[in-house]
Amino acid sequence: MTVTPPTFLDIDGSRIAVRHMAGSTPGIVWLGGYKSDMLGTKAQTLSDWAAREGRAFLRHDYSGHGESDGAFADGTISKWLSQSLAVFRHFASGSQILVGSSMGAWIALRMVQELRKAGDANVVGLVLLAPAPDFTAELVEPVLTPAQKHDLAEKGFFAEPSDYSTEPYIYTRALIEDGRANRVMTGPIDTHCPVHILQGLADADVPSSHALKLVSLLPADDVTLSLIPDGDHRLSRPQDLDMLVRAVGDMAGRGK
């Protein structure tokens, strides 16, 4: 498999790496997770599928991720949201389906809010994998240890070992404070489009109860929840990838 080099879009002084493949609509827009990059298994699987289908596909790395500029620790939800909106507005044309993984699902939900506010109704579907909207307020803050609270107050961050990387996860005070300003799970969420959620019941990072809470806030007649009994947070096994491609393909069929 040959991976083409990215193009770069300057956003607020940061060079953001983007890969855009032209094709039919609705196009697919990939939004990765916290400390994930756009060459991960799920993103690449969708890119290969879109290429076979002749369908437009757009993905990028947030600042501090993958091939983009910037320090990871300088990132916030607002910053990564702003970059995602800029990439979307620069490259995407016509109807689009946002596919968000983990934190990317939070970015996707906020993008719909901001695009709708600006009169842009081009998002015609959402596919959310192991969605982690509001994870700073809902999943991180409630379980902070005294040592972590001390580090946040004194150093401005705390570090946690990662199951997915040799480098630790860094959680900054700025990320957590900014997360509160971007919460979406405080009341009903009107996406104005159908939503399909894929959630593993063996997810140790984002519990299935979080996905169920999200479903309860979405318009019930437009939401599909697929629970995967032995699925973990990655959802990157062959059977998970097959389900992802089917879900995105079905959503694309609805969005015509």
Side-chain angles (χ1 to χ4, degrees), residues 25-49:
T25 57
I28 311 301
V29 180
W30 172 260
L31 298 158
Y34 194 64
K35 218 168 186 185
S36 296
D37 65 63
M38 64 170 152
L39 296 179
T41 306
K42 293 186 290 290
Q44 194 58 48
T45 297
L46 277 183
S47 178
D48 293 343
W49 169 81

Side-chain angles (χ1 to χ4, degrees), residues 50-97:
R52 292 193 301 271
E53 294 280 313
R55 189 172 296 281
F57 187 71
L58 175 63
R59 50 182 162 161
H60 69 284
D61 285 329
Y62 313 119
S63 59
H65 291 67
E67 297 159 288
S68 289
D69 286 352
F72 176 77
D74 291 338
T76 61
I77 300 301
S78 290
K79 179 179 281 190
W80 296 329
L81 168 65
S82 175
Q83 293 162 2
S84 300
L85 286 166
V87 168
F88 183 92
R89 287 167 169 151
H90 191 273
F91 290 95
S93 178
S95 60
Q96 304 290 324
I97 294 165

